[in-house]
Amino acid sequence: MLVRAALLVALGCFVAALPGCGGETTQQTETFRVALLTPGSISDGGWNQAAYDGLERVERELGARVSHVETKSPAQFEEEFRSYARDGFDLVFGHGFEYQEAAARVAPSYPETVFVTTSGNTVLPNLAPMVFELEQATYLCGWLAAKLSSSGRLGAIGGVDLPSIRSTFVAFRAGAEAARPGVSVREVFLGRFDDVPAAREAATALLDEGADFLIHQVNDAGRGVFQAVQERAAKGSRVYAFGTNRNQNDMAPDVVLASAVLDVPSAFVEVARRVESGSFRAEPIRLGMGEGIVSFVLNAGLSGGIEAPVLQELAALAAKIRSGELQVPRGNF
Amino acid sequence: MKERLRVLASPIAAALASIGIAVGVLLALGHAPLGALEALVRGAGGSPAAWTGTLQKSTPLLLTGLAVALSFRCGVWNIGAEGQLYAGALAATFVATRWLPADGGAWLVAPVLVAGALGGAGFGALAGWLRAARGVSEVISTILLNFVAIQLVAYAIQGPLQEAPRAYPQSDPLPHGAMLPALDRLHLGVPLALIAALVVAFLIDRTAVGFRLRAVGHAPEAARFAGLSPERLGTLALALAGGLAGLAGAVELAGMTGRLYEGLSPGPGYTAIAVALLARLAPLAVIPSALFFGALANGALAMQREAAIPSVATQVVQGIVILLSVGFALGRLSLARERVPSEGEA
């Protein structure tokens, strides 16, 4: 009896919800509307969360109306892009290279909507990737490392050997060469991004070979790199590491000299601002130090040990990169 | 007559009860339930575009649901539709991007679909062979082979099948001619899956092979005394099921994504078990069952888009609906299985 009553109530709710179904189809609003598709959960504390933080800031700072969908598979991308475009959204983000194929299929039918993928290389009149120039900051890492190195040997530890990862090392090497021609940079790839022990082992091996400055691109397995450097430093060696992507200076404040920082949420705000103001162009949206999306953050606890002329030269170099006077080499992808 | 009515009433009761609980869950999580359910219903079938999305999502569920129903009817507990789907997508990608001419016409669709079905069938037969020759439980082997297939795809798109520019972990795009023709984005896979349901229904209920499969499923020892080989027929069932799931993979590839990705289409192989159970393993009933699950998945996306319900909450709602509907259906299942062989119909 109770069950039947509950069912009736449920049915009532269901029917009550129905009349709203037909109504407003074409909702013409002046409000700027922004949507985001992520390939995973927005509470992952990493890639997807950063994008959602960006979307929330777009809502707060631009007064936009926002919407988010977690797409479970590439088979869903196209339909979700279409749904948003059909609803009249002004800007739809696809958070990953894997969205570009579906976006390219949808974009021509909805010229009023701008589609932006996070990384990628597909460009149409209303579709462009945003490309983060973390290379500008890793260039400075390389430059500073080569200036301060006593052995003239540097090391770079990557996760998966992807063009985007390799590219940050290309810039690191170029920065090092610029400061000290003939400097040696050894690169090691682990094949994965989450293996702390492997990162630690690789770092120890590079230190054994005489490297005294290490940069990494292994996301949170960077902890392993820092541990190895800390162990070596505890034995009295002057060895340092660089953090990447996030400000990792506080992960090992005694050995992380600086971090190449990427501010993903601000990138979303920057792109949304450009689209809203009509300054969107059909070309990759390069976001680096000039736009304030990438930064080179020295560890204040350690930078006191660097001689003033080196710091001045570093600041001048950073200013040149920001103004666009210095183009940092990067991988081609 | 009264019995029939009860059979019909149970899924409806399940649907209503799950709506009631979903309302409670949404309230508990602090979301307005009416707006959310409205978005769910509208997103599932409130417009032609919503129907397109629902049919697109139902198609792999229908094919994999048939795969599960077919093997379960033969007493083979195939949990590997997911892996068979990936094996099919992998084989289809290989044939489409490595063997077929890039400038070929629409005929390219045929070899791609055949490759998908054969890839899945081979993968299914592998579990069948392990079962027949070595006595390995197909529950274990099919589950483990899921991981093998998923990792094979990951390897392939970072290795031998990676796109020519080698920038991203994805395959080359399929040649244009290999993409399934589509009418307003409803691709050929949709009618194909419906035809597959008819074929499977005919095979199971109206042919000698189908009778043998069912006999083995129902009473393996009796079937053995009658001269049938449960091992051989089990392998056949797994191969056929693999073929259906592999076809689903090829359809997702050639109808939807156009490239092979890691995580191309996660889930249908597992949801397929629920789809098949809700349909009480009757091939024709898999059609409405798959449609129901497809509508649910599509509506859940609309709940995120339009009612700003976070995906975790929509997953809870989906889970409740699946659990309840399958629970209700299972209550009837034992009865259904007893009736089936004696009447020779589902």
Coordinates of all heavy atoms in Angstrom, one line a residue, chain B residues 32-122:
Chain B
A32 N 17.0 21.1 -7.4 CA 15.6 21.1 -7.7 C 15.3 19.9 -8.5 O 15.7 19.8 -9.7 CB 15.2 22.4 -8.4
P33 N 14.5 18.9 -8.0 CA 14.2 17.7 -8.8 C 13.4 17.8 -10.0 O 13.6 17.2 -11.0 CB 13.6 16.8 -7.7 CG 13.0 17.7 -6.7 CD 13.8 18.9 -6.7
L34 N 12.4 18.8 -9.9 CA 11.5 18.8 -11.1 C 12.2 19.4 -12.3 O 12.1 18.8 -13.4 CB 10.3 19.7 -10.8 CG 9.4 19.1 -9.7 CD1 8.1 19.9 -9.7 CD2 9.1 17.7 -10.1
G35 N 13.0 20.4 -12.2 CA 13.8 21.0 -13.3 C 14.7 19.9 -13.8 O 14.9 19.8 -15.0
A36 N 15.3 19.1 -12.9 CA 16.3 18.1 -13.3 C 15.6 17.0 -14.1 O 16.1 16.6 -15.2 CB 17.0 17.5 -12.1
L37 N 14.5 16.5 -13.6 CA 13.8 15.5 -14.3 C 13.2 16.0 -15.6 O 13.1 15.2 -16.6 CB 12.7 14.9 -13.4 CG 13.2 14.1 -12.3 CD1 12.1 13.5 -11.4 CD2 14.1 12.9 -12.7
E38 N 12.8 17.2 -15.6 CA 12.3 17.8 -16.9 C 13.4 17.8 -17.9 O 13.1 17.4 -19.1 CB 11.8 19.2 -16.6 CG 11.1 19.8 -17.8 CD 11.0 21.4 -17.7 OE1 10.9 21.8 -16.6 OE2 11.2 22.0 -18.7
A39 N 14.6 18.2 -17.5 CA 15.7 18.2 -18.4 C 16.0 16.8 -18.9 O 16.3 16.6 -20.1 CB 16.9 18.8 -17.7
L40 N 15.9 15.8 -18.0 CA 16.1 14.4 -18.3 C 15.2 14.0 -19.4 O 15.6 13.4 -20.4 CB 16.0 13.6 -17.1 CG 16.1 12.0 -17.2 CD1 17.6 11.7 -17.4 CD2 15.6 11.3 -16.1
V41 N 13.9 14.2 -19.2 CA 12.9 13.8 -20.1 C 13.0 14.5 -21.5 O 13.0 13.9 -22.5 CB 11.5 14.0 -19.6 CG1 10.4 13.7 -20.6 CG2 11.3 13.1 -18.3
R42 N 13.2 15.8 -21.4 CA 13.3 16.6 -22.6 C 14.6 16.2 -23.4 O 14.6 16.1 -24.6 CB 13.4 18.1 -22.3 CG 13.3 19.0 -23.5 CD 13.0 20.4 -23.2 NE 14.0 20.8 -22.1 CZ 13.8 22.0 -21.4 NH1 12.8 22.7 -21.7 NH2 14.7 22.3 -20.5
G43 N 15.7 16.0 -22.6 CA 16.9 15.6 -23.2 C 16.9 14.3 -23.8 O 17.6 14.0 -24.8
A44 N 16.0 13.4 -23.3 CA 16.0 12.0 -23.8 C 15.1 11.9 -25.1 O 15.4 11.1 -25.9 CB 15.5 11.1 -22.7
G45 N 14.0 12.7 -25.1 CA 13.1 12.6 -26.3 C 12.2 13.7 -26.5 O 11.2 13.6 -27.1
G46 N 12.6 14.9 -26.1 CA 11.8 16.1 -26.2 C 11.9 16.8 -27.5 O 11.1 17.8 -27.7
S47 N 12.8 16.4 -28.4 CA 12.9 17.1 -29.7 C 13.5 16.1 -30.6 O 14.1 15.1 -30.2 CB 13.8 18.3 -29.5 OG 15.1 17.9 -29.1
P48 N 13.5 16.5 -31.9 CA 14.1 15.5 -32.9 C 15.6 15.4 -32.6 O 16.1 14.2 -32.7 CB 13.9 16.3 -34.2 CG 12.7 17.2 -34.0 CD 12.8 17.6 -32.6
A49 N 16.3 16.4 -32.2 CA 17.7 16.3 -31.9 C 17.9 15.4 -30.7 O 18.9 14.6 -30.7 CB 18.3 17.7 -31.6
A50 N 17.0 15.5 -29.7 CA 17.2 14.6 -28.6 C 17.0 13.1 -29.0 O 17.7 12.3 -28.5 CB 16.1 15.0 -27.5
W51 N 16.0 12.9 -29.9 CA 15.8 11.5 -30.4 C 17.1 11.0 -31.1 O 17.5 9.9 -31.0 CB 14.6 11.5 -31.2 CG 13.4 11.2 -30.4 CD1 12.4 12.1 -30.1 CD2 13.0 10.0 -29.9 NE1 11.5 11.5 -29.3 CE2 11.8 10.2 -29.1 CE3 13.6 8.7 -29.9 CZ2 11.2 9.2 -28.4 CZ3 12.9 7.7 -29.2 CH2 11.7 7.9 -28.5
T52 N 17.7 11.9 -31.9 CA 18.9 11.5 -32.6 C 19.9 11.0 -31.6 O 20.5 10.0 -31.8 CB 19.4 12.7 -33.4 OG1 18.4 13.1 -34.3 CG2 20.7 12.3 -34.2
G53 N 20.2 11.9 -30.6 CA 21.2 11.5 -29.6 C 20.8 10.2 -28.9 O 21.7 9.4 -28.6
T54 N 19.5 10.0 -28.5 CA 19.1 8.8 -27.9 C 19.4 7.6 -28.8 O 19.9 6.6 -28.3 CB 17.6 8.9 -27.5 OG1 17.5 9.9 -26.4 CG2 17.1 7.6 -27.0
L55 N 19.0 7.7 -30.0 CA 19.2 6.6 -30.9 C 20.7 6.3 -31.1 O 21.1 5.1 -31.2 CB 18.5 6.8 -32.3 CG 17.0 6.8 -32.2 CD1 16.4 7.3 -33.6 CD2 16.5 5.4 -31.9
Q56 N 21.5 7.3 -31.2 CA 22.9 7.1 -31.4 C 23.5 6.4 -30.2 O 24.3 5.5 -30.3 CB 23.7 8.5 -31.4 CG 23.5 9.2 -32.8 CD 24.2 10.5 -32.8 OE1 24.5 11.0 -31.7 NE2 24.4 11.1 -33.9
K57 N 23.0 6.7 -29.0 CA 23.6 6.1 -27.8 C 23.0 4.7 -27.6 O 23.6 3.9 -26.9 CB 23.3 7.0 -26.5 CG 24.2 8.2 -26.6 CD 23.9 9.2 -25.5 CE 24.7 10.4 -25.6 NZ 24.3 11.2 -26.8
S58 N 21.8 4.5 -28.1 CA 21.1 3.1 -28.0 C 21.8 2.1 -28.8 O 21.7 0.9 -28.5 CB 19.6 3.2 -28.3 OG 19.0 4.2 -27.5
T59 N 22.4 2.6 -30.0 CA 22.8 1.6 -31.0 C 23.9 0.7 -30.4 O 23.8 -0.6 -30.5 CB 23.3 2.4 -32.2 OG1 22.2 3.1 -32.7 CG2 23.8 1.4 -33.3
P60 N 25.0 1.2 -29.8 CA 26.0 0.2 -29.3 C 25.4 -0.6 -28.2 O 25.8 -1.8 -28.0 CB 27.1 1.1 -28.8 CG 26.5 2.5 -28.6 CD 25.4 2.6 -29.7
L61 N 24.5 0.0 -27.4 CA 23.8 -0.8 -26.3 C 23.0 -1.9 -26.9 O 22.9 -3.0 -26.3 CB 23.0 0.1 -25.5 CG 23.7 1.1 -24.6 CD1 22.7 2.1 -24.0 CD2 24.5 0.4 -23.5
L62 N 22.3 -1.7 -28.0 CA 21.5 -2.7 -28.6 C 22.4 -3.9 -29.1 O 22.2 -5.0 -28.8 CB 20.7 -2.1 -29.8 CG 19.9 -3.1 -30.6 CD1 19.0 -4.0 -29.8 CD2 19.0 -2.3 -31.6
L63 N 23.5 -3.5 -29.8 CA 24.4 -4.6 -30.3 C 25.0 -5.4 -29.2 O 25.1 -6.6 -29.2 CB 25.4 -4.0 -31.3 CG 24.8 -3.5 -32.6 CD1 25.8 -2.7 -33.4 CD2 24.5 -4.8 -33.4
T64 N 25.6 -4.7 -28.2 CA 26.3 -5.4 -27.1 C 25.2 -6.1 -26.2 O 25.5 -7.2 -25.7 CB 27.1 -4.4 -26.3 OG1 26.3 -3.3 -25.9 CG2 28.3 -3.9 -27.0
G65 N 24.0 -5.5 -26.1 CA 23.0 -6.2 -25.3 C 22.6 -7.5 -26.0 O 22.4 -8.5 -25.3
L66 N 22.5 -7.5 -27.3 CA 22.2 -8.7 -28.1 C 23.3 -9.8 -27.8 O 23.1 -10.9 -27.6 CB 22.1 -8.4 -29.6 CG 20.9 -7.7 -30.0 CD1 21.0 -7.3 -31.5 CD2 19.6 -8.6 -29.8
A67 N 24.6 -9.2 -27.8 CA 25.7 -10.1 -27.6 C 25.6 -10.8 -26.2 O 25.8 -12.1 -26.1 CB 27.0 -9.3 -27.7
V68 N 25.3 -10.1 -25.2 CA 25.1 -10.6 -23.9 C 23.9 -11.6 -23.8 O 24.0 -12.7 -23.3 CB 25.0 -9.5 -22.8 CG1 24.6 -10.1 -21.5 CG2 26.3 -8.7 -22.7
A69 N 22.8 -11.2 -24.4 CA 21.6 -12.0 -24.3 C 21.9 -13.3 -25.0 O 21.5 -14.4 -24.5 CB 20.4 -11.3 -25.0
L70 N 22.5 -13.3 -26.2 CA 22.8 -14.5 -26.9 C 23.6 -15.5 -26.1 O 23.3 -16.7 -26.0 CB 23.4 -14.1 -28.3 CG 23.6 -15.2 -29.3 CD1 23.5 -14.6 -30.7 CD2 24.9 -16.0 -29.2
S71 N 24.7 -14.9 -25.6 CA 25.6 -15.9 -24.9 C 25.0 -16.4 -23.6 O 25.1 -17.5 -23.2 CB 27.0 -15.2 -24.6 OG 26.9 -13.9 -24.2
F72 N 24.3 -15.5 -22.9 CA 23.6 -15.9 -21.6 C 22.6 -17.0 -21.9 O 22.4 -18.0 -21.1 CB 22.9 -14.8 -20.9 CG 23.9 -13.9 -20.1 CD1 25.2 -13.9 -20.4 CD2 23.4 -13.1 -19.1 CE1 26.1 -13.1 -19.6 CE2 24.2 -12.3 -18.3 CZ 25.6 -12.3 -18.6
R73 N 21.9 -16.9 -23.0 CA 20.9 -17.9 -23.4 C 21.5 -19.3 -23.6 O 20.9 -20.3 -23.4 CB 20.1 -17.5 -24.7 CG 19.1 -16.4 -24.4 CD 17.9 -16.9 -23.7 NE 17.0 -17.7 -24.5 CZ 16.1 -17.1 -25.3 NH1 15.9 -15.8 -25.3 NH2 15.3 -17.9 -26.0
C74 N 22.8 -19.3 -24.0 CA 23.5 -20.5 -24.2 C 24.3 -20.9 -22.9 O 25.1 -21.8 -22.9 CB 24.5 -20.3 -25.3 SG 25.4 -21.8 -25.7
G75 N 24.0 -20.2 -21.8 CA 24.6 -20.6 -20.5 C 26.0 -20.2 -20.4 O 26.8 -20.6 -19.6
V76 N 26.4 -19.2 -21.3 CA 27.8 -18.7 -21.3 C 27.8 -17.3 -20.7 O 27.1 -16.4 -21.2 CB 28.4 -18.7 -22.7 CG1 29.8 -18.0 -22.7 CG2 28.5 -20.1 -23.3
W77 N 28.5 -17.2 -19.5 CA 28.4 -15.9 -18.9 C 29.5 -14.9 -19.4 O 30.6 -14.8 -18.9 CB 28.5 -16.1 -17.3 CG 27.5 -17.0 -16.9 CD1 27.6 -18.3 -16.6 CD2 26.1 -16.7 -16.8 NE1 26.4 -18.9 -16.3 CE2 25.4 -17.9 -16.4 CE3 25.3 -15.6 -17.0 CZ2 24.1 -18.0 -16.2 CZ3 23.9 -15.7 -16.9 CH2 23.3 -16.9 -16.5
N78 N 29.1 -14.3 -20.5 CA 30.1 -13.5 -21.2 C 30.1 -12.1 -20.6 O 29.1 -11.3 -20.8 CB 29.7 -13.4 -22.7 CG 30.5 -12.5 -23.5 OD1 31.5 -12.1 -23.1 ND2 29.9 -12.1 -24.7
I79 N 31.1 -11.7 -19.9 CA 31.2 -10.4 -19.3 C 32.1 -9.5 -20.2 O 32.5 -8.5 -19.8 CB 31.8 -10.4 -17.8 CG1 31.2 -11.6 -17.1 CG2 31.5 -9.2 -17.1 CD1 29.7 -11.5 -16.8
G80 N 32.4 -10.1 -21.4 CA 33.5 -9.4 -22.2 C 33.0 -8.6 -23.3 O 33.8 -8.3 -24.2
A81 N 31.8 -8.2 -23.4 CA 31.3 -7.4 -24.5 C 32.1 -6.2 -24.7 O 32.4 -5.7 -25.8 CB 29.8 -7.1 -24.4
E82 N 32.6 -5.6 -23.6 CA 33.4 -4.4 -23.6 C 34.7 -4.6 -24.4 O 35.0 -3.9 -25.3 CB 33.7 -3.9 -22.2 CG 34.4 -2.6 -22.1 CD 33.5 -1.4 -22.1 OE1 32.3 -1.6 -22.2 OE2 34.0 -0.3 -22.0
G83 N 35.4 -5.7 -24.0 CA 36.6 -6.0 -24.7 C 36.4 -6.4 -26.2 O 37.2 -6.0 -27.0
Q84 N 35.3 -7.1 -26.4 CA 35.0 -7.5 -27.8 C 34.7 -6.3 -28.6 O 35.1 -6.2 -29.8 CB 33.9 -8.5 -27.8 CG 34.3 -9.9 -27.2 CD 33.2 -10.5 -26.4 OE1 32.0 -10.2 -26.6 NE2 33.5 -11.5 -25.6
L85 N 34.1 -5.3 -28.0 CA 33.8 -4.0 -28.7 C 35.1 -3.4 -29.1 O 35.3 -2.9 -30.3 CB 33.0 -3.1 -27.8 CG 32.5 -1.7 -28.4 CD1 31.2 -1.4 -27.8 CD2 33.5 -0.7 -28.1
Y86 N 36.0 -3.3 -28.2 CA 37.3 -2.6 -28.5 C 38.1 -3.4 -29.5 O 38.7 -2.9 -30.4 CB 38.1 -2.5 -27.2 CG 37.8 -1.2 -26.4 CD1 37.0 -1.3 -25.3 CD2 38.1 0.0 -26.9 CE1 36.7 -0.2 -24.6 CE2 37.8 1.1 -26.2 CZ 37.0 1.0 -25.0 OH 36.7 2.2 -24.4
A87 N 38.0 -4.8 -29.4 CA 38.8 -5.6 -30.4 C 38.2 -5.3 -31.8 O 38.9 -5.2 -32.8 CB 38.6 -7.1 -30.0
G88 N 36.9 -5.2 -31.9 CA 36.2 -4.9 -33.2 C 36.7 -3.5 -33.7 O 37.0 -3.4 -34.9
A89 N 36.7 -2.5 -32.8 CA 37.1 -1.2 -33.2 C 38.5 -1.2 -33.7 O 38.9 -0.5 -34.7 CB 36.9 -0.2 -32.1
L90 N 39.3 -1.9 -33.0 CA 40.8 -2.0 -33.3 C 40.9 -2.6 -34.7 O 41.7 -2.1 -35.6 CB 41.5 -2.8 -32.3 CG 43.0 -2.8 -32.3 CD1 43.6 -1.4 -32.2 CD2 43.6 -3.7 -31.2
A91 N 40.3 -3.8 -34.9 CA 40.4 -4.4 -36.2 C 39.9 -3.5 -37.3 O 40.5 -3.4 -38.4 CB 39.6 -5.8 -36.2
A92 N 38.8 -2.9 -37.1 CA 38.2 -2.0 -38.1 C 39.1 -0.8 -38.4 O 39.3 -0.5 -39.6 CB 36.8 -1.5 -37.6
T93 N 39.7 -0.3 -37.4 CA 40.7 0.8 -37.6 C 41.9 0.4 -38.4 O 42.3 1.0 -39.4 CB 41.2 1.4 -36.3 OG1 40.1 1.7 -35.4 CG2 42.1 2.6 -36.5
F94 N 42.4 -0.8 -38.1 CA 43.5 -1.3 -38.8 C 43.2 -1.5 -40.3 O 43.9 -1.0 -41.2 CB 43.9 -2.7 -38.2 CG 45.1 -3.3 -39.0 CD1 46.4 -2.9 -38.8 CD2 44.8 -4.4 -39.9 CE1 47.4 -3.4 -39.5 CE2 45.9 -5.0 -40.6 CZ 47.2 -4.5 -40.4
V95 N 42.1 -2.1 -40.6 CA 41.7 -2.3 -42.0 C 41.4 -1.0 -42.7 O 41.9 -0.8 -43.8 CB 40.4 -3.2 -42.1 CG1 39.8 -3.2 -43.5 CG2 40.8 -4.6 -41.7
A96 N 40.8 -0.1 -42.0 CA 40.4 1.2 -42.6 C 41.6 2.1 -42.9 O 41.6 2.8 -43.9 CB 39.3 1.9 -41.8
T97 N 42.5 2.2 -41.9 CA 43.6 3.1 -42.1 C 44.9 2.5 -42.7 O 45.8 3.3 -43.1 CB 43.9 3.8 -40.8 OG1 44.4 2.8 -39.9 CG2 42.7 4.5 -40.1
R98 N 45.0 1.2 -42.7 CA 46.2 0.6 -43.2 C 46.0 -0.2 -44.5 O 47.0 -0.4 -45.2 CB 46.8 -0.3 -42.1 CG 47.4 0.5 -40.9 CD 48.6 1.3 -41.3 NE 49.1 2.0 -40.2 CZ 48.8 3.3 -39.9 NH1 48.0 3.9 -40.6 NH2 49.4 3.8 -38.8
W99 N 44.9 -0.7 -44.7 CA 44.7 -1.6 -45.9 C 43.9 -0.9 -47.0 O 44.1 -1.1 -48.2 CB 43.9 -2.9 -45.5 CG 44.8 -3.9 -45.0 CD1 46.2 -3.8 -44.7 CD2 44.5 -5.2 -44.6 NE1 46.7 -4.9 -44.2 CE2 45.7 -5.9 -44.1 CE3 43.3 -6.0 -44.6 CZ2 45.7 -7.2 -43.7 CZ3 43.4 -7.3 -44.1 CH2 44.5 -7.9 -43.7
L100 N 42.8 -0.2 -46.6 CA 41.9 0.3 -47.6 C 42.5 1.6 -48.3 O 43.2 2.4 -47.6 CB 40.5 0.6 -47.0 CG 39.8 -0.6 -46.4 CD1 38.5 -0.2 -45.8 CD2 39.6 -1.6 -47.6
P101 N 42.1 1.8 -49.5 CA 42.6 3.1 -50.2 C 41.9 4.3 -49.6 O 40.7 4.2 -49.3 CB 42.2 2.9 -51.7 CG 41.1 1.9 -51.6 CD 41.3 1.0 -50.4
A102 N 42.6 5.4 -49.4 CA 42.1 6.6 -48.7 C 41.0 7.2 -49.6 O 40.1 7.9 -49.1 CB 43.2 7.6 -48.4
D103 N 41.1 7.0 -50.9 CA 40.2 7.7 -51.8 C 39.1 6.7 -52.3 O 38.4 7.0 -53.3 CB 40.9 8.3 -53.0 CG 41.8 7.3 -53.7 OD1 41.8 6.1 -53.2 OD2 42.4 7.6 -54.7
G104 N 38.9 5.6 -51.6 CA 37.9 4.7 -52.1 C 36.5 5.2 -51.9 O 36.2 6.2 -51.1
G105 N 35.5 4.6 -52.5 CA 34.1 5.1 -52.4 C 33.4 4.5 -51.2 O 34.0 4.0 -50.3
A106 N 32.1 4.6 -51.2 CA 31.3 4.2 -50.1 C 31.3 2.7 -49.8 O 30.9 2.2 -48.8 CB 29.8 4.6 -50.3
W107 N 31.9 1.9 -50.8 CA 32.0 0.5 -50.6 C 32.9 0.2 -49.4 O 32.9 -0.9 -48.9 CB 32.5 -0.2 -51.8 CG 33.9 0.2 -52.3 CD1 34.2 1.3 -53.1 CD2 35.1 -0.4 -51.9 NE1 35.6 1.4 -53.2 CE2 36.1 0.4 -52.5 CE3 35.5 -1.5 -51.1 CZ2 37.5 0.1 -52.4 CZ3 36.8 -1.8 -50.9 CH2 37.8 -1.0 -51.5
L108 N 33.8 1.1 -49.0 CA 34.7 0.9 -47.9 C 34.0 0.5 -46.6 O 34.6 -0.1 -45.7 CB 35.6 2.1 -47.7 CG 36.5 2.6 -48.8 CD1 37.4 3.7 -48.3 CD2 37.4 1.4 -49.2
V109 N 32.8 1.0 -46.5 CA 32.0 0.7 -45.3 C 32.0 -0.8 -45.0 O 32.1 -1.3 -43.9 CB 30.6 1.3 -45.4 CG1 29.7 0.7 -44.3 CG2 30.7 2.8 -45.3
A110 N 31.7 -1.6 -46.1 CA 31.5 -3.0 -45.9 C 32.7 -3.7 -45.2 O 32.6 -4.4 -44.2 CB 31.2 -3.7 -47.2
P111 N 33.9 -3.6 -45.8 CA 35.1 -4.2 -45.2 C 35.3 -3.7 -43.7 O 35.8 -4.5 -42.9 CB 36.3 -3.9 -46.1 CG 35.8 -2.8 -47.0 CD 34.3 -2.9 -47.1
V112 N 35.0 -2.5 -43.5 CA 35.3 -2.0 -42.1 C 34.3 -2.6 -41.1 O 34.8 -3.1 -40.0 CB 35.1 -0.4 -42.1 CG1 35.0 0.1 -40.7 CG2 36.2 0.3 -42.8
L113 N 33.0 -2.8 -41.5 CA 32.1 -3.4 -40.6 C 32.4 -4.9 -40.4 O 32.4 -5.5 -39.3 CB 30.7 -3.2 -41.1 CG 30.1 -1.8 -41.1 CD1 28.7 -1.8 -41.6 CD2 30.2 -1.2 -39.7
V114 N 32.8 -5.5 -41.6 CA 33.1 -7.0 -41.5 C 34.4 -7.2 -40.6 O 34.4 -8.1 -39.7 CB 33.4 -7.5 -42.9 CG1 34.0 -8.9 -42.8 CG2 32.1 -7.6 -43.7
A115 N 35.3 -6.3 -40.7 CA 36.6 -6.4 -39.9 C 36.2 -6.2 -38.4 O 36.7 -7.0 -37.6 CB 37.6 -5.3 -40.3
G116 N 35.3 -5.3 -38.1 CA 34.9 -5.1 -36.7 C 34.3 -6.4 -36.2 O 34.6 -6.8 -35.1
A117 N 33.3 -6.9 -37.0 CA 32.6 -8.1 -36.5 C 33.6 -9.3 -36.3 O 33.6 -10.0 -35.3 CB 31.5 -8.5 -37.5
L118 N 34.5 -9.4 -37.3 CA 35.5 -10.6 -37.2 C 36.4 -10.4 -36.1 O 36.8 -11.3 -35.3 CB 36.3 -10.7 -38.5 CG 35.5 -11.3 -39.7 CD1 36.3 -11.3 -41.0 CD2 34.9 -12.6 -39.4
G119 N 36.9 -9.1 -35.9 CA 37.8 -8.9 -34.7 C 37.1 -9.2 -33.4 O 37.7 -9.9 -32.6
G120 N 35.9 -8.8 -33.2 CA 35.2 -9.1 -32.0 C 34.9 -10.6 -31.9 O 35.1 -11.2 -30.8
A121 N 34.6 -11.2 -33.0 CA 34.3 -12.7 -33.0 C 35.5 -13.4 -32.6 O 35.5 -14.4 -31.8 CB 33.8 -13.1 -34.4
G122 N 36.7 -13.0 -33.2 CA 37.9 -13.7 -32.8 C 38.2 -13.6 -31.3 O 38.6 -14.6 -30.7

